[in-house]
Amino acid sequence: MAQDKAQEMAPDTRARDVEVQLTRAGLGVARRLGDRAGGLLFDRLLRILEARHPRAFTALGELPDAHLLIDPVDAPAALLLRVGPGLALRVCDRTAEAEATVRGPCARLLDLLEGRIDGDALFFRRELSIEGDTALILALRNTLDGEEMDLFGDVAAAAGPLRHALPVARRNAGRALDLLATARRFAPPPVRWGMAVLERRLTGPRQGA
């Protein structure tokens, strides 16, 4: 039963594409919201994840106070994770000061967070770069190891009826993407321009671009 549920919730490649786009858009929106409103959203996200993964969050709270910059290089903003008693997550510029930094494509960082890919393999393939306090990064990795985290599944599970909608959305993600691509291709120019403007407003300019 547990294996069937895991398979049902596991995102396929097309669904992962959608989730990566949503993550980028979410970072762009959070940056536009500013520290106060964006901070409230990330506080809510941490509470949801803490309820789903209490062991990991207890361990994160017991780490020495430090900051980890998580930099999805193809997204409009980065994240600053504070571990220790003052555990917090905030959107930030990718130049923010931190004791350690992890950089890589947004999709790979999501895979790493959810334990679906080996961090060592990413590092040796140069898809992931690490700077600063490697002991902090190893401690974070050990904390998350074995958690079977599913970021979108965890959030949807805390959103009532959405927990039933997510598996359906993931199964149909490929078809939805194809329909959107077709709609964009055959839409009149004003509609295409409007879609492009909306996309830019959601994601914002990529830092360093």
Side-chain angles (χ1 to χ4, degrees):
M1 182 67 73
Q3 185 177 3
D4 292 343
K5 184 177 180 181
Q7 289 176 345
E8 184 181 43
M9 295 298 289
D12 62 19
T13 302
R14 302 301 299 275
R16 176 55 84 185
D17 290 342
V18 174
E19 291 169 356
V20 168
Q21 293 296 332
L22 289 174
T23 301
R24 291 173 179 157
L27 286 172
V29 170
R31 189 174 65 168
R32 290 175 184 276
L33 287 175
D35 291 339
R36 185 176 179 81
L40 292 175
L41 288 177
F42 283 114
D43 288 344
R44 173 62 178 157
L45 174 63
L46 285 184
R47 285 197 296 272
I48 291 173
L49 294 177
E50 182 177 12
R52 305 275 294 177
H53 306 279
R55 182 200 66 84
F57 275 74
T58 297
L60 287 174
E62 292 174 347
L63 290 174
D65 188 48
H67 292 85
L68 174 69
L69 180 65
I70 304 168
D71 182 5
V73 295
D74 51 353
L79 289 167
L80 191 64
L81 173 65
R82 179 179 181 180
V83 299
L87 185 66
L89 182 67
R90 292 291 184 270
V91 68
C92 66
D93 292 334
R94 47 180 43 102
T95 56
E97 292 186 3
E99 282 77 9
T101 300
V102 178
R103 285 195 172 89
C106 188
R108 292 293 175 262
L109 291 176
L110 283 175
D111 289 341
L112 191 64
L113 171 67
E114 297 179 349
R116 298 199 295 120
I117 195 166
D118 180 55
D120 292 339
L122 288 177
F123 178 76
F124 287 115
R125 293 206 305 259
R126 298 184 179 180
E127 293 186 65
L128 192 72
S129 68
I130 295 171
E131 301 169 9
D133 186 354
T134 54
L136 171 61
I137 295 172
L138 286 174
L140 183 64
R141 172 184 165 179
N142 292 336
T143 298
L144 297 177
D145 190 32
E147 275 301 315
E148 297 183 357
M149 191 173 289
D150 175 357
L151 183 60
F152 286 85
D154 289 341
V155 173
L162 280 180
R163 69 179 185 275
H164 302 299
L166 182 64
V168 177
R170 281 175 163 169
R171 283 197 298 273
N172 294 284
R175 183 183 303 174
L177 285 174
D178 292 340
L179 287 173
L180 285 174
T182 301
R184 182 191 291 256
R185 190 162 58 248
F186 289 103
V191 175
R192 289 203 301 272
W193 298 335
M195 294 171 71
V197 169
L198 177 60
E199 184 175 343
R200 285 197 298 272
R201 286 180 176 175
L202 285 174
T203 60
R206 294 178 185 177
Q207 294 177 21

